[in-house]
Amino acid sequence: MPAAVAGPEIERLIQLLARLPGLGPRSARRAALHLIKKREALMTPLSAALQVAIDKIQVCKTCGNIDTQNPCTVCTDPRRDPAIIVVVADVADLWALERAHATNGFYHVLGATLSPLDGVGPQDLTIEALVARAHDPRVSEIILALNATVDGQTTAHYITDLLQEAGVKVTRLKARCPRQCGSARCFENGNQRTHDERRLR
């Protein structure tokens, strides 16, 4: 049996880092070693930043974004167009669209997409809150920025049907990427943006 090369505290750090997306055991060990070597310049401020995040991060009561204020920075930005709400499945999609400057509207985070196989139904998403927001007289367009997967398309059609009584235009936001996946994250790397004005009804 190989001898341990580090104490349990360091091994615990490696195990936790390995849980992060994109990090396996080897990359987690490299990351842990880098943090240890840069203890004062990186590890200490990172630890402080994580503690602040634990204490202050909240879920926006309006759109579902994650921020240190509630309502979030996006929802309190007076420069945004109140007539537009962009619907995304996850906060990561919202952040990707913001980095790409894809829209100047507001957002609504569903929390996921409908997935019967995974047991995710309408009651598990914030669809009811979206419908309520769509009835705001200031709102004239709902832009669906959902993945072009079966679950994403199912969610888009379900929402479109529910919004018929709201009297708003329902459109799709698409990215010109080689895979044509339809994900909001296609915008993350600065791909050219197109707004598909096709009505979904």
Side-chain angles (χ1 to χ4, degrees), residues 1 24 73 160 169:
M1 189 172 183
T73 303
T160 301
K169 181 169 65 174

Side-chain angles (χ1 to χ4, degrees), residues 58-63 67-76:
Q58 307 175 60
V59 176
C60 178
K61 62 183 179 182
T62 302
C63 74
D67 204 342
T68 55
Q69 66 180 52
N70 197 354
C72 69
T73 303
V74 174
C75 287
T76 55

Side-chain angles (χ1 to χ4, degrees), residues 155-176:
T155 306
H157 287 295
Y158 181 82
I159 290 174
T160 301
D161 289 341
L162 290 180
L163 292 177
Q164 287 183 0
E165 295 182 359
V168 295
K169 181 169 65 174
V170 181
T171 57
R172 297 297 303 269
L173 189 66
K174 291 186 177 181
R176 291 177 183 167

Side-chain angles (χ1 to χ4, degrees), residues 74-106:
V74 174
C75 287
T76 55
D77 186 351
R79 299 168 297 179
R80 293 185 176 271
D81 187 352
I84 298 173
I85 296 178
V86 181
V87 181
V88 296
D90 189 76
V91 173
D93 298 322
L94 187 160
W95 290 3
L97 289 173
E98 279 300 284
R99 283 193 296 271
H101 305 288
T103 177
N104 68 332
F106 290 92

